[in-house]
Amino acid sequence: MIFVPMWDGSMGCASFLFGDEALGQGMVVDPLENIGADSYILSATELGLEIKAIVETHVHADHHSAARELAEKTGLMVSLSHRAPVAYAFNPLSQDDVLDLGHACATVWETPGHTPDSISLVITDSTRSNEPWFVLSGDSLFVGDVGRPDLVDPTPEMVREAALEQFHSIHEKILTLPDTTELYPAHYGASACGGLFLSPKPVSTIGFERRWNRFAQISDPDQFVDQVLMLLKPPPESAAAIRAANLGVPTLA
Ligand SMILES: [Fe+2]
């Protein structure tokens, strides 16, 4: 398997290109406007990969996505959670759907919390093992932190409910992966999507986070929710406008 993280340190955003080099099939996850659709196409071409899928782990509110532009240029549809409220045609994904590139496979896990439509992708390379190699955790489990639950609906009740969903996504899904599974979240560093403990490191392992991530250490759901809400940073001013642009609507209703 070929795996190329494509990071934008200025925003603390991660995107990924990976695929099966033998079959020449690749996938792009969370492409960034700051990097540009053409860069993903060029990188894939240089690696001998034809882009076969474009996946968004959720509708982003902190940066402009390049997913639709990349879809137009490649003739593909963007793949998103079936819960994504976007205003454009997309390929809906549900729990346990498999995106098959040959020996490289991505299994969809619905991991709501940061947003209702948040998904993670569990990646295996069958030339080595059927055991997960890495997880693209979107904005569920971060390195040192978790995705904030307050960017979609700011009412206190909804935020609390979203934080509780985040607890279940992380403790009942992401943290069930083996310790050796590598963790590649959608954000790191100065990203607006995390809290006060978001690490500047873009990569970790499930085992490391199980041991050192303060939110992985909290087994009580109410305590988890209280901690997440207590450690929230101020919401970014541009979140509603960016989310509306990524939804494909001029303004939020
Ligand atoms: Fe996000």
Side-chain angles (χ1 to χ4, degrees), residues 57-63 114-115 118 138-139 142 148 151 186-187 191 193:
T57 56
H58 59 291
V59 178
H60 301 281
D62 65 307
H63 66 270
H114 175 61
T115 64
S118 286
D139 288 28
F142 287 153
R148 66 190 301 161
L151 294 185
H187 296 295
S191 166
C193 284

Side-chain angles (χ1 to χ4, degrees), residues 15 21 42 66 83 92 123 136 138 151 160 188 199 225 249:
S15 58
E21 69 270 43
L42 184 63
R83 299 176 73 183
I123 314 299
L136 305 181
L151 294 185
R160 215 177 157 79
Y188 62 101
S199 171
V225 169
V249 297

Side-chain angles (χ1 to χ4, degrees), residues 5-238:
M6 296 172 75
W7 285 304
D8 174 13
S10 69
M11 299 282 288
C13 294
S15 58
F16 305 95
L17 166 65
F18 65 96
D20 182 329
E21 69 270 43
L23 288 181
Q25 298 184 348
M27 179 185 306
V28 176
V29 178
D30 288 335
L32 305 163
E33 188 180 83
N34 273 4
I35 289 179
D38 289 339
S39 293
Y40 295 98
I41 294 170
L42 184 63
S43 296
T45 303
E46 286 176 349
L47 294 166
L49 299 177
E50 182 183 351
I51 298 172
K52 292 289 188 181
I54 303 160
V55 180
E56 293 272 75
T57 56
H58 59 291
V59 178
H60 301 281
D62 65 307
H63 66 270
H64 289 276
S65 164
R68 275 181 292 156
E69 185 185 352
L70 186 56
E72 282 169 22
K73 291 188 170 188
T74 54
L76 297 166
M77 289 184 109
V78 181
S79 295
L80 287 146
S81 163
H82 65 98
R83 299 176 73 183
V86 294
Y88 59 88
F90 68 104
N91 178 43
L93 299 175
S94 299
Q95 176 70 29
D96 297 327
D97 281 352
V98 175
L99 299 163
D100 190 345
L101 298 173
H103 295 300
C105 279
T107 303
V108 175
W109 284 7
E110 294 187 36
T111 49
H114 175 61
T115 64
D117 61 296
S118 286
I119 60 170
S120 298
L121 298 174
V122 179
I123 314 299
T124 56
D125 178 353
S126 62
T127 61
R128 187 177 64 174
S129 164
N130 287 327
E131 191 173 300
W133 177 359
F134 59 91
V135 58
L136 305 181
S137 59
D139 288 28
S140 59
L141 186 64
F142 287 153
V143 182
D145 211 331
V146 296
R148 66 190 301 161
D150 62 323
L151 294 185
V152 173
D153 189 330
T155 61
E157 298 76 18
M158 293 295 286
V159 171
R160 215 177 157 79
E161 201 172 299
L164 185 59
E165 279 197 302
Q166 187 71 291
F167 173 85
H168 291 300
S169 291
I170 288 171
H171 281 267
E172 292 163 18
K173 288 188 175 170
I174 300 296
L175 289 173
T176 66
L177 288 163
D179 280 349
T180 51
T181 312
E182 295 169 3
L183 177 78
Y184 289 88
H187 296 295
Y188 62 101
S191 166
C193 284
L196 294 176
F197 289 89
L198 185 59
S199 171
K201 281 185 68 213
V203 185
S204 185
T205 64
I206 293 297
F208 188 92
E209 295 308 305
R210 198 192 311 284
R211 173 68 183 86
W212 296 110
N213 186 312
R214 63 190 293 127
F215 297 102
Q217 295 281 322
I218 301 174
S219 58
D220 178 70
D222 289 331
Q223 194 185 346
F224 177 98
V225 169
D226 290 343
Q227 282 282 306
V228 168
L229 301 186
M230 188 177 78
L231 295 168
L232 281 177
K233 296 186 288 197
E237 284 179 17
S238 53

